[in-house]
Amino acid sequence: MKPTRFETAIALIDKKNAQDPNTYQVAGFEYPKELLYSQRMTRKLLQFDANASKALQIAARAQHICRWQIARNQFPMDRVGYLKWRETLKKMHANTTAEILQQVGFDDQFVDRVKKIILKKLIKKNEESQALEDVICLVFLDYYFDEFAAKHSDEKVIDILQKTWVKMSEKGHKAALKLPFSKSGLALVKQAIS
């Protein structure tokens, strides 16, 4: 059976992310970092919203597509430089995804919708942009938080948690509080949101 446009788009996103030279180890296996991240995004999205639209599923899968191509150190190592780097990345992710979607035959309206979700336009007003932000935060909290917390002071971790919490919806908050935090992780979360 011929794969659908959606399946082909996901496969092409995965093919690009599989080229990531950076790896991440899970249970003794090495994975291309962004391929693993994108698969975690899909898994978390479908746990969070089993009826997520195809546009939202593609946006989640492609949220970090080819991220390694624009290094953080190409921008000034301050807050302004960090924000400029993030904005440049978002545009690159959206444009790379748009090229794939056009290649497999999605119409301009659909492509534009996916780009808007990736760019997180009207985040608190657009349900799909908000859902993507919630899933990004949930993936961080579920898979990367303990590692991040181990490298930074409690003050910095609490500050990041507070910034993360503000970005999330009420539904996102409820999902976050059900995550299997470590004892120390949960203590930091409780401090951050109290």
Side-chain angles (χ1 to χ4, degrees):
M1 211 168 83
K2 191 172 176 247
T4 64
R5 279 183 310 188
F6 172 77
E7 290 165 340
T8 305
I10 294 291
L12 290 171
I13 291 164
D14 285 356
K15 190 177 175 187
K16 282 204 180 279
N17 277 334
Q19 294 165 19
D20 189 352
N22 306 298
T23 57
Y24 199 89
Q25 206 172 58
V26 180
F29 293 98
E30 294 272 325
Y31 296 93
K33 190 176 172 193
E34 296 309 342
L35 179 64
L36 177 68
Y37 177 81
S38 69
Q39 291 168 348
R40 286 173 164 176
M41 284 291 293
T42 292
R43 194 174 318 125
K44 191 59 72 185
L45 171 63
L46 295 175
Q47 287 167 0
F48 184 69
D49 178 4
N51 299 313
S53 70
K54 296 283 188 253
L56 180 52
Q57 289 183 55
I58 289 169
R61 192 67 158 229
Q63 201 254 331
H64 272 185
I65 192 168
C66 299
R67 187 182 179 93
W68 65 92
Q69 291 178 357
I70 301 174
R72 169 67 185 95
N73 63 12
Q74 289 176 273
F75 296 82
M77 297 305 281
D78 55 16
R79 178 95 181 124
V80 174
Y82 172 76
L83 294 172
K84 192 158 178 40
W85 172 64
R86 290 287 302 268
E87 205 48 45
T88 305
L89 277 173
K90 270 200 284 192
K91 285 178 185 156
M92 186 266 284
H93 299 322
N95 291 333
T96 304
T97 308
E99 284 165 24
I100 288 172
L101 296 178
Q102 284 158 348
Q103 186 186 324
V104 299
F106 280 102
D107 64 39
D108 291 347
Q109 197 179 349
F110 185 87
V111 173
D112 193 47
R113 182 174 160 199
V114 172
K115 280 179 77 172
K116 278 191 177 121
I117 300 169
I118 292 173
L119 292 167
K120 293 187 268 185
K121 295 283 186 199
L122 303 170
I123 192 152
K124 292 288 180 184
K125 293 190 177 107
N126 180 309
E127 272 182 41
E128 291 185 314
S129 294
Q130 183 59 60
L132 180 67
E133 187 62 62
D134 282 328
V135 171
I136 291 164
C137 295
L138 291 167
V139 165
F140 166 68
L141 292 170
D142 199 5
Y143 296 105
Y144 303 99
F145 173 63
D146 281 333
E147 187 185 330
F148 176 83
K151 292 179 188 165
H152 301 281
S153 68
D154 285 0
E155 292 75 30
K156 179 164 174 92
V157 173
I158 288 167
D159 178 55
I160 294 294
L161 283 168
Q162 287 169 337
K163 286 175 179 161
T164 300
W165 207 250
V166 168
K167 292 178 189 173
M168 297 174 82
S169 67
E170 196 55 47
K171 183 181 175 185
H173 293 160
K174 285 180 181 156
L177 292 173
K178 290 179 186 159
L179 293 173
F181 290 107
S182 64
K183 198 173 172 187
S184 59
L186 184 60
L188 288 166
V189 170
K190 283 182 172 168
Q191 263 183 279
I193 66 173
S194 61

